[in-house]
Amino acid sequence: MTEVTVQTKPTVALDDATLGRIAALWTAAFPTAEGRDRLAEAIERRATTAQSDEEQLHYVEDGESVVAAARTFVRCVNVADKLGLREGRRVKIGARHAQHAGRAGTILKRAAADDWVTHLDRLDGQSDVIATFFMGDLLLERRVLCLAHVATAPAARGRGLGAAVVRGAFSSRLCESLPEALFCTGVPGFYEKLECVTLAPCDVVYPSDDVKKFVDPALMRFSLPTAPAWPAGGALHVNGAGW
């Protein structure tokens, strides 16, 4: 197979013409989203959330057309991981806590075998809160790369372009400070060939009922060897819409 060149650029750096060619591919590759204006969506993200989400687009060109593409961005999620709790780690207080549910903060020290002293982030108009929490109420923060919108042009399939664009996304973005990627998919077998693994079934918690949910059945992860193990069981708090 001819070597494939995958370009990676921040969404905020792409002009309307390039975004248009990528959006045209997504429209052709995802016919179930008929009527959806993917160019308008990309332009809106570029103007609003792309900078804060560290969004980048990865794409392969063939002449004037984009024939494969993927989108990545960064999200802080929270998971129950008692073994990962330690001083300096960022956490969120779980829903069972009556007073501080949903608050985020930083662990200061261990208070007892099952308790941790945590400094909660200050809320507007309120003083600092330093309190002791049972470890079962602490959800560990993990900064993950989100992979989405992986697509190959229908006429270009069978050339390994989808695999190339996924590998290009992982190799360009994953590093010591961002060692793992999360995504959902309806074709887990494709990603297993790229050394991704399917996570054990778990509850996915969204910040509200009206945000977009994960629609594909398999939640998968790709990680560098330096990434900490993913905790088994427990809920995944995605802190935003699914992707």
Side-chain angles (χ1 to χ4, degrees), residues 92-103:
K92 183 168 74 172
I93 311 304
R96 296 184 305 177
H97 196 275
Q99 185 177 3
H100 296 300
R103 294 278 298 273

Side-chain angles (χ1 to χ4, degrees), residues 61-110:
E61 295 179 309
D62 186 357
E64 296 297 317
S65 300
V66 170
V67 292
R71 171 182 167 238
T72 59
F73 59 97
V74 177
R75 173 82 60 83
C76 287
V77 301
N78 290 89
V79 292
D81 184 4
K82 298 176 182 179
L83 297 179
L85 298 175
R86 60 180 61 91
E87 295 179 10
R89 294 301 301 268
R90 295 282 299 169
V91 292
K92 183 168 74 172
I93 311 304
R96 296 184 305 177
H97 196 275
Q99 185 177 3
H100 296 300
R103 294 278 298 273
T106 303
I107 293 176
L108 297 180
K109 62 180 180 180
R110 193 165 202 156

Side-chain angles (χ1 to χ4, degrees), residues 33-52:
E34 184 177 355
R36 185 171 172 180
D37 191 338
R38 292 191 175 273
L39 175 57
E41 292 174 5
I43 291 174
E44 182 180 4
R45 286 198 307 270
R46 184 182 61 188
T48 55
T49 62
Q51 185 73 47
S52 60

Side-chain angles (χ1 to χ4, degrees), residues 56-173:
Q56 296 189 12
L57 297 182
H58 317 269
Y59 56 99
V60 176
E61 295 179 309
D62 186 357
E64 296 297 317
S65 300
V66 170
V67 292
R71 171 182 167 238
T72 59
F73 59 97
V74 177
R75 173 82 60 83
C76 287
V77 301
N78 290 89
V79 292
D81 184 4
K82 298 176 182 179
L83 297 179
L85 298 175
R86 60 180 61 91
E87 295 179 10
R89 294 301 301 268
R90 295 282 299 169
V91 292
K92 183 168 74 172
I93 311 304
R96 296 184 305 177
H97 196 275
Q99 185 177 3
H100 296 300
R103 294 278 298 273
T106 303
I107 293 176
L108 297 180
K109 62 180 180 180
R110 193 165 202 156
D114 296 332
D115 298 326
W116 294 86
V117 177
T118 302
H119 182 189
L120 299 183
D121 297 345
R122 180 182 296 184
L123 298 178
D124 291 343
Q126 298 187 22
S127 58
D128 286 1
V129 173
I130 296 178
T132 300
F133 296 93
F134 173 60
M135 65 179 181
D137 289 326
L138 298 177
L139 302 170
L140 192 65
E141 181 179 285
R142 294 178 77 131
R143 187 168 177 263
V144 301
L145 182 71
C146 304
L147 176 70
H149 295 168
V150 177
T152 302
R157 289 171 183 164
R159 295 162 49 186
L161 300 180
V165 83
V166 171
R167 290 192 183 99
F170 291 159
S171 65
S172 66
R173 302 223 57 184

